[in-house]
Amino acid sequence: MNDTCARCLRKGYGQTMYVIKLGEWRCRRHLPDFLKLDLEGYELYALQGAEQLLTRCKPVVCIEQKRFRDTEGRVLVREQEAGLYLERLGMRQVAKRGNDCIYVWET
């Protein structure tokens, strides 16, 4: 991935890691066809920020869906929030393994 697509976060140990906000993805040479999100309850927010990318590139999406609670037991994220959002965009769930759910675009 070149520097026009992402910023170099760290070089070292023979590895280079690039980071980009999904909502800022502009590089046409490296369009995603698969996204895996496991953000400990923040999946919905990441998906909302990436809505234009999702609807333009139409990747397969794998998200973790489970209920997250704060230290006092209050529900912070309902279990199906991110999945319901993807369904409103026109995707459907095709597989589930544990807490991971895979969504594809309706044709």
Side-chain angles (χ1 to χ4, degrees):
M1 190 168 280
N2 63 33
D3 291 329
T4 61
C5 295
R7 295 176 296 281
C8 180
L9 179 66
R10 178 179 169 200
K11 290 184 179 179
Y13 305 105
Q15 304 260 336
T16 301
M17 181 186 303
Y18 293 94
V19 176
I20 188 167
K21 293 179 182 178
L22 291 174
E24 295 176 357
W25 196 291
R26 300 281 184 262
C27 184
R28 295 184 201 287
R29 287 181 23 203
H30 303 285
L31 294 176
D33 55 11
F34 181 84
L35 291 177
K36 167 71 166 104
L37 301 176
D38 184 348
L39 302 171
E40 302 305 318
Y42 292 93
E43 290 82 4
L44 174 62
Y45 306 111
L47 293 168
Q48 289 171 331
E51 184 173 330
Q52 287 182 2
L53 175 74
L54 292 170
T55 57
R56 185 180 75 213
C57 299
K58 301 210 181 292
V60 172
V61 178
C62 179
I63 55 172
E64 180 186 39
Q65 292 197 100
K66 64 182 181 183
R67 184 175 295 135
F68 285 92
R69 298 179 183 273
D70 66 9
T71 56
E72 297 175 8
R74 293 178 296 216
V75 174
L76 298 175
V77 178
R78 291 188 308 263
E79 192 169 333
Q80 300 296 322
E81 278 185 291
L84 291 172
Y85 177 77
L86 291 174
E87 289 172 5
R88 284 193 298 274
L89 290 180
M91 298 186 82
R92 66 181 170 85
Q93 183 179 325
V94 294
K96 181 173 181 164
R97 182 169 182 121
N99 293 322
D100 290 335
C101 299
I102 297 177
Y103 287 81
V104 298
W105 292 90
E106 295 283 354
T107 54

